[in-house]
Amino acid sequence: MISVSSRLQETKEYYFSKKLREVAQLKKQGKPIINLGIGSPDLAPPQEVVEELIKATQAPGAYQYQAYKGLDELREAMCNFYQTHYQIRLDQDQEVLPLMGSKEGIALISMAFLNEGDEVLVPNPGYPTYQAATKLLNAKLISYDLTQENSWHPEVKALQKLDLSRVKLMWINYPNMPTGETADKEKLQELIRFAKANSILLVNDNPYSMVLTDEKFSIFQMEGAHDVCLELNSLSKSFNLAGFRVGFLAGNSEFISAVLKVKSNMDSGMFFPIQKAAAKALNLDLSWFARQNAIYKNRRSLIWDICDSLGLEVNKNAVGLFVWAKIKSSGSAEELADELLYDKDIFVTPGTVFGDNGANYLRFSLCVSEEKLELCRERLLKPKAV
Ligand SMILES: Cc1ncc(COP(=O)(O)O)c(C=O)c1O
């Protein structure tokens, strides 16, 4: 018998990979499922980006291997994006690295910095990939609490009580997914001081900074971040390019070259037309985001109404691509999510997918048209079939 590695026995299949199979099965049976579960933007990417992509497919050398660090033009566009939106200057040769999505970056960073047995601080609730990457490397997961009471920010005082001697890395994610919480700069400044004092690499995963936010946040706006932080960014949500697989990493040259060392052994560069098109996207002006956000705002208010009709509580100051709604009744998140799926043909994500601190929450995606959201509202008004 050929057995899989022991690290895989510790790793579960990604929740959505499994659940979406069930949803697809229900659809095949004719169920008119509306998917509010997943954050895959349904809106079209910028037209000029698509045109650039097509044009670049005809360029000489377009189908050859590409540089591990990406095109100069792409790294320049990434730095330009940081300068324009966050007022952060990055060196395009040393402080930025194109990635095939920020999810890839989570694995690469973990491989670049973790030894077996090192400890990693992971948010609960949080994006499940931080955990998975940690486990795949036989590093040890230390989950830290994010709660509504601490406004979904890590409590430095609680972290200081832990044995930190083996902690090497800490994941944070502001604007936060799934809670939609914006960055509290004072708290994050304290966290950076904590990371520095304990030689912990602090990584901010930042794919939602352009969605429904007033202020555009980057960890590098904070004092001292350059010394201990890395930041992942992504074109997936900002430009409706999730399937394109373009993200990037920003940070000091030492950290970036460590990640590049891993990456150059894992892939052989990004398809040339994708790089050209990504550069085009990153150089777009603010009007692109204004148009997107106007649509998301309308959808969000419809989801707030849906939550209201379900007796769920929402934070109207939250940002990002999801509504994180608190269940006030006694049922669990999974029960309520299943009830919506099987009785109303509405797929939402139970908060437990992100950790047990999500046990009383449901997550609704804004990647659904107003028409479909209206339909959800109608379905919820109809009495339950018996
Ligand atoms: C918090 C968070 N980080 C990273 C990702 C991955 O994004 P990408 O498409 O850039 O890999 C997601 C995607 O949903 C996410 O929610």
Side-chain angles (χ1 to χ4, degrees), residues 288-302:
W288 161 257
F289 302 103
R291 284 197 299 278
Q292 290 296 111
N293 285 328
I295 298 170
Y296 285 139
K297 220 174 226 175
N298 289 341
R299 293 177 173 187
R300 186 175 60 179
S301 17
L302 285 167

Side-chain angles (χ1 to χ4, degrees), residues 247-295:
F248 55 112
L249 182 64
N252 75 41
S253 59
E254 213 180 298
F255 296 158
I256 293 287
S257 34
V259 177
L260 177 60
K261 216 184 248 183
V262 181
K263 184 173 166 61
S264 62
N265 283 293
M266 305 297 288
D267 69 57
S268 299
M270 197 189 292
F271 187 38
F272 176 82
I274 289 186
Q275 296 195 59
K276 292 287 285 183
K280 190 88 182 176
L282 287 159
N283 288 324
L284 288 178
D285 66 25
L286 281 172
S287 62
W288 161 257
F289 302 103
R291 284 197 299 278
Q292 290 296 111
N293 285 328
I295 298 170

